[in-house]
Amino acid sequence: MSEITSFPPPSTDLSILLLGSGGREHALAYKLSQSKRVSKIYVCPGNGGTALMGGKVSNLSIPWGAPPAFNSIIEFAQSTKIDLVVPGPEQPLVDGVEGAFKKIGIPVFGPSPQAAMLEGSKSLSKEFMFRHNIPTAQFRSFTSDQYTQAVEYIKSNPFSSGRCVIKASGLAAGKGVLIPETDEEALEALKSVMVDKEFGDAGDEVVVEEYLTGPEISVLAFSDGYTIIPMPAAQDHKRIGEGDTGPNTGGMGAYAPAPVATKEILDRVVKESLEPTIKGLREDGYPFVGMLFTGFMITPDGPKVLEYNVRFGDPETQALMLLLDDETDLAEVMLAAVERRLDSVKLGYRDGYAVSVVLASQGYPGKYPKGVPMTINPDMPSGVHVFHAGTAIKNDTGVTDGGRVLAVCASGSTLKEAVDLAYSGVDQISWEGKTYRRDIAYRALSSEPTTSSTSAPSGGLTYAAAGVSITAGNDLVEAIKPVVKATRRPGADSNIGGFGGAFDLAACGYEDPILVSGTDGVGTKLRVALDYGKHSTVGIDLVAMSVNDLIVQGAEPLYFLDYYACSKLDVPVATDVITGIAEGCLQAGCALIGGETAEMPGMYHTDDYDLAGFAVGVVERKQLLPSNDIKENDVLIALSSSGPHSNGYSLIRKIVSLSGLSLTDIAPWSKGSQKVGDALLEPTKIYIKSLLPGIKGGLYKGMSHITGGGFTENIPRIFEGDLGVQLDLASYQLPEIWKWLMKTGQVEAKEMVRTFNCGVGMVIVVDSTKVDSALQSLAENGEKGWVIGKVVQGKGVKYTGLESFGQ
């Protein structure tokens, strides 16, 4: 009887060739062997642990290496009909193992040699990130014949943090990153890499990059060149000693998921880095298939890429394999990736945490002995897994055979449970010189809340014990009282410290008043202030952003309130900020009548703070702007800005970062000695006192405060109906800072005018018969204006001179 045609069932006798000899390969063999589709796993060359697994798993003692030495395993794969090759370490991937097996029709779970250069060359990967706008640290690369230039670069103190990181560009077994603490140490590190050849040929090219601060995470993600699926973020421990001290290693332990990697952080990791990486490689002609293992630093600006790896991480893999649930078939996931159908599979994870603790030989990461006999208790605590790395079997005895010898792993419903279980396994293993860290996962454990009733101080918990200082708040109030008092005006006495601020509107003398309010912040200009350590001007910005929005409606600012939020209140810093707010109020003629200082431990990174402001103004009803008589051929008058004001700083900071400039460098657009940080922190101009006389004199029909969105988005907000404007960009000279940003960031003119103020902070609409009077009023009140365009029929902004703008 004939049967209905159907697709053939999936193969259930897959043979896998797993290349490598470390703990990562043992953990991969452990998980792959659970697949119902897999019948045989050859680990080449494997280690003492994989030799003892039995069942589907066996070691394969065939030497292999860079081409043409892949021939030996190619012949084996053909003769035994291998279905999938899984390279563990990075070297065979860089050497072209994927291409070698591709020629004979055997798929490899790993990238092409070209895509593998993401790990093979740190210089190449940094240039790739720069080209595809992937967040990373500022950097410069130097070749072996540029040692002198590299020395001078370090001596120039190029980074705002005052510290740099030295990276050997080539492969250095995970040890080619040096983190000096002083310039002297940096120069010594540079010499050791470039001159003394500590890492051999890997140091023929060196990357000098900015030292970033923040917690690190490792994100391992499956990719088929189009889809990318991350596993839970892990945190590893690179340094040999407790508390992250001593030299870097290949990794002394890891745990996952890392609590610091919140959903918000992981969403940004995927959207800002992982997806652009896969897309960028595809666009460059090198689609990435395999495991993309990316290291991130969670900085105050968000996650930034530290480095790429193109294979499973070690020791992260050992922990992550314990988190994959029983329903997840690792072999099926790998096949789906190489067959470009990764979106058809799902990865599932157990609840809880997993931990790996690496046991190393004495002397590691330096010279260490081999062949030291080990004793491993066969009756390990339930739930403990021991993955072998540098081990061998000699005369039926397990001996050490590498720097990192074993990874003892465990999982648990809580991180502490997993850690305690793993260390109970560590105690069951011994050999002379066993070296390990006793603080794996200490970062996360130190931040975990305790449920013990004995954890409270003997005198009971206090607000101060939770990280909030009432004393500091009181000190701040006392420190700012004099500057706040200086902002008094009719209607407000500017006394602070009560429950709210009062204002007597009757004292202002208005006949038919309308109240106008506005609120705003300073945006990521605050990041510049924090990085540069200058806090005295952002308060002016805070006031300016709100009161300039009032004046465009014809309103005179009456009073202002601020909101200052931080993790830990630094009284001198907060005093600087609020003194700036008071200065802004003085410039605007309004009273600072109150505010809120919120100290919120755990809500902000280290010394970060955030600001918000709220302003209220008043205007006579008949002077409310915009007026309803704006018409075609009315004239537009422009007033200059003092700089970027407080908008567009996310892009500005990106351009400055990619240029290699630090905030302490002399600004290349400056004719004098002004530093980049000072230039970018130039406070926003407050236009109140120069505009109020013209408003009261009926000279203006409408105004636009040019903020984020530039001319294109802000000027149309004046109009109703079918009116727009024609702007003549040749009517003024674009300031040098904008030319530099435009050229350095390769920002198109069209993008400039819809993002930045481009040197114009305010645009005023006046009747064509009142242009001279308006310009005279502005001049008499300290502001020089010029005609920049006119009102025309048709919505939006039309530009003249856009093609030559900035040239």
Side-chain angles (χ1 to χ4, degrees):
M1 181 178 177
S2 60
E3 295 181 357
I4 297 175
T5 303
S6 61
F7 288 110
S11 173
T12 57
D13 59 350
L14 296 174
S15 292
I16 295 177
L17 176 59
L18 177 57
L19 303 179
S21 60
R24 160 185 52 219
E25 287 73 44
H26 191 178
L28 289 173
Y30 159 80
K31 187 61 183 175
L32 286 168
S33 68
Q34 297 172 10
S35 171
K36 295 178 180 178
R37 297 191 59 186
V38 174
S39 62
K40 189 64 181 176
I41 301 169
Y42 299 96
V43 190
C44 184
N47 56 41
T50 52
L52 296 172
M53 289 182 70
K56 299 178 181 180
V57 182
S58 62
N59 283 357
L60 180 65
S61 298
I62 296 179
W64 54 269
F70 288 136
N71 290 342
S72 60
I73 51 175
I74 286 174
E75 291 174 2
F76 173 83
Q78 288 178 311
S79 64
T80 54
K81 297 183 179 179
I82 293 295
D83 297 290
L84 178 68
V85 178
V86 181
E90 65 275 9
Q91 193 66 59
L93 290 164
V94 174
D95 289 341
V97 69
E98 185 270 347
F101 278 91
K102 184 177 181 180
K103 289 180 181 178
I104 62 169
I106 297 178
V108 174
F109 180 76
S112 67
Q114 296 87 352
M117 287 304 292
L118 272 186
E119 179 170 1
S121 170
K122 291 182 175 64
S123 176
L124 178 148
S125 70
K126 295 290 287 190
E127 293 293 341
F128 172 85
M129 287 182 258
F130 174 82
R131 192 167 65 253
H132 292 284
N133 295 316
I134 294 167
T136 190
Q138 299 177 52
F139 74 100
R140 272 189 63 181
S141 299
F142 299 91
T143 56
S144 56
D145 60 350
Q146 294 178 311
Y147 174 67
T148 302
Q149 292 96 312
V151 168
E152 293 304 314
Y153 183 66
I154 291 174
K155 287 182 177 179
S156 71
N157 191 24
F159 306 121
S160 59
S161 65
R163 293 180 62 183
C164 65
V165 177
I166 310 296
K167 293 184 175 181
S169 181
L171 297 177
K175 306 186 194 79
V177 178
L178 303 177
I179 308 176
E181 296 186 3
T182 65
D183 286 348
E184 291 74 19
E185 290 181 9
L187 294 172
E188 183 60 34
L190 184 73
K191 179 176 178 292
S192 72
V193 177
M194 298 189 79
V195 178
D196 301 337
K197 295 295 182 182
E198 180 179 347
F199 304 111
D201 293 343
D204 285 349
E205 194 172 10
V206 168
V207 173
V208 179
E209 74 175 33
E210 175 188 16
Y211 175 80
L212 301 177
T213 59
E216 291 185 41
I217 58 172
S218 301
V219 179
L220 281 66
F222 293 91
S223 173
D224 64 2
Y226 294 88
T227 301
I228 187 159
I229 302 176
M231 300 179 78
Q235 278 193 314
D236 76 341
H237 300 68
K238 285 292 186 188
R239 303 289 187 115
I240 188 68
E242 277 89 5
D244 294 321
T245 57
N248 268 350
T249 70
M252 293 302 294
Y255 60 98
V260 72
T262 62
K263 183 181 183 303
E264 178 187 5
I265 291 294
L266 287 178
D267 286 345
R268 292 188 64 179
V269 161
V270 172
K271 295 297 182 184
E272 297 175 9
S273 297
L274 298 186
E275 288 180 348
T277 296
I278 297 305
K279 182 173 183 286
L281 284 167
R282 192 170 65 249
E283 290 174 347
D284 288 354
Y286 309 115
F288 188 97
V289 175
M291 173 58 61
L292 182 64
F293 160 28
T294 310
F296 290 91
M297 181 77 80
I298 304 176
T299 74
D301 292 332
K304 292 187 177 183
V305 174
L306 294 175
E307 63 178 4
Y308 292 117
N309 302 278
V310 296
R311 36 70 191 183
F312 284 93
D314 188 341
E316 293 90 346
T317 299
Q318 291 90 311
L320 288 168
M321 290 303 103
L322 299 188
L323 285 180
L324 287 173
D325 64 20
D326 294 336
E327 302 302 315
T328 299
D329 186 325
L330 183 59
E332 171 61 25
V333 174
M334 290 179 172
L335 284 171
V338 300
E339 293 169 2
R340 309 301 197 271
R341 55 178 182 84
L342 190 58
D343 58 352
S344 69
V345 297
K346 291 184 179 180
L347 278 77
Y349 300 95
R350 306 179 196 278
D351 292 334
Y353 298 82
V355 174
S356 65
V357 179
V358 170
L359 309 186
S361 296
Q362 186 174 21
Y364 177 78
K367 293 182 179 179
Y368 50 84
K370 291 186 179 182
V372 180
M374 302 181 300
T375 300
I376 302 176
N377 188 342
D379 297 322
M380 280 284 170
S382 177
V384 173
H385 299 264
V386 180
F387 295 120
H388 291 233
T391 67
I393 306 296
K394 291 186 179 179
N395 300 322
D396 296 326
T397 300
V399 298
T400 65
D401 194 41
R404 292 189 295 172
V405 179
L406 301 169
V408 182
C409 306
S411 59
S413 59
T414 67
L415 181 56
K416 188 175 187 309
E417 180 183 325
V419 169
D420 290 345
L421 186 57
Y423 278 110
S424 71
V426 169
D427 292 339
Q428 305 302 311
I429 300 170
S430 63
W431 74 84
E432 185 178 350
K434 181 180 78 171
T435 300
Y436 64 98
R437 284 182 56 163
R438 295 163 176 81
D439 65 346
I440 300 303
Y442 78 94
R443 304 182 192 93
L445 291 174
S446 64
S447 63
E448 275 191 350
T450 176
T451 58
S452 170
S453 61
T454 63
S455 61
S458 57
L461 287 171
T462 66
Y463 212 15
V468 179
S469 174
I470 296 175
T471 301
N474 292 335
D475 290 344
L476 176 62
V477 171
E478 292 304 314
I480 64 176
K481 274 184 176 180
V483 295
V484 173
K485 192 172 184 179
T487 68
R488 288 182 298 183
R489 59 155 292 158
D493 59 16
S494 290
N495 288 325
I496 58 171
F499 289 104
F503 191 93
D504 182 3
L505 189 59
C508 298
Y510 280 81
E511 297 176 359
D512 187 15
I514 292 179
L515 292 178
V516 181
S517 60
T519 186
D520 214 330
V522 182
T524 56
K525 189 174 186 176
L526 277 182
R527 187 72 259 158
V528 180
L530 287 159
D531 291 344
Y532 191 53
K534 181 179 179 179
H535 308 278
S536 57
T537 59
V538 290
I540 300 174
D541 291 304
L542 185 68
V543 176
M545 295 306 292
S546 289
V547 298
N548 285 342
D549 283 349
L550 299 186
I551 197 68
V552 299
Q553 297 172 83
E556 173 191 4
L558 298 177
Y559 60 85
F560 188 86
L561 298 100
D562 68 87
Y563 177 78
Y564 181 100
C566 59
S567 179
K568 183 173 179 59
L569 183 59
D570 185 322
V571 174
V573 169
T575 300
D576 275 355
V577 172
I578 297 173
T579 298
I581 293 172
E583 171 59 28
C585 288
L586 286 171
Q587 292 183 25
C590 64
L592 179 55
I593 66 170
E596 168 70 6
T597 301
E599 190 175 21
M600 299 182 286
M603 286 291 291
Y604 295 89
H605 283 286
T606 58
D607 298 328
D608 288 2
Y609 60 85
D610 198 9
L611 297 173
F614 180 79
V616 173
V618 63
V619 59
E620 293 285 7
R621 189 181 301 274
K622 62 184 178 183
Q623 293 173 345
L624 186 65
L625 298 179
S627 63
N628 58 11
D629 60 345
I630 297 177
K631 63 183 184 303
E632 187 177 2
N633 292 321
D634 280 345
V635 175
L636 304 179
I637 293 175
L639 305 183
S640 65
S641 66
S642 56
H645 284 181
S646 298
N647 297 100
Y649 272 81
S650 294
L651 179 54
I652 291 171
R653 288 167 46 245
K654 182 81 168 180
I655 295 170
V656 171
S657 173
L658 294 176
S659 75
L661 281 177
S662 79
L663 296 177
T664 56
D665 288 338
I666 300 301
W669 58 83
S670 171
K671 296 179 180 178
S673 58
Q674 188 180 41
K675 294 181 178 180
V676 174
D678 291 318
L680 296 183
L681 290 172
E682 187 69 34
T684 305
K685 185 184 286 189
I686 294 175
Y687 297 94
I688 309 305
K689 293 181 179 178
S690 58
L691 291 175
L692 271 177
I695 292 171
K696 294 182 181 297
L699 294 176
Y700 311 139
K701 292 185 175 183
M703 300 181 200
S704 176
H705 181 201
I706 309 302
T707 58
F711 300 137
T712 305
E713 301 297 330
N714 284 292
I715 297 178
R717 296 164 68 181
I718 301 174
F719 305 105
E720 293 184 359
D722 195 36
L723 292 177
V725 300
Q726 179 84 44
L727 290 188
D728 180 9
L729 298 179
S731 64
Y732 73 107
Q733 185 68 33
L734 186 67
E736 291 301 316
I737 184 174
W738 300 113
K739 291 181 181 179
W740 183 87
L741 289 167
M742 191 176 183
K743 179 180 179 181
T744 306
Q746 298 181 349
V747 184
E748 295 182 355
K750 184 178 180 180
E751 183 69 14
M752 291 289 293
V753 297
R754 68 181 294 272
T755 303
F756 301 119
N757 68 52
C758 295
V760 176
M762 190 72 69
V763 171
I764 311 168
V765 181
V766 301
D767 192 277
S768 59
T769 63
K770 295 182 178 181
V771 172
D772 291 340
S773 298
L775 291 173
Q776 181 179 346
S777 174
L778 290 168
E780 290 173 350
N781 291 283
E783 194 67 56
K784 183 179 180 180
W786 72 94
V787 174
I788 194 173
K790 63 180 180 179
V791 178
V792 297
Q793 286 293 325
K795 295 181 179 180
V797 181
K798 302 177 181 67
Y799 296 99
T800 300
L802 186 63
E803 299 78 7
S804 58
F805 192 50
Q807 298 178 5

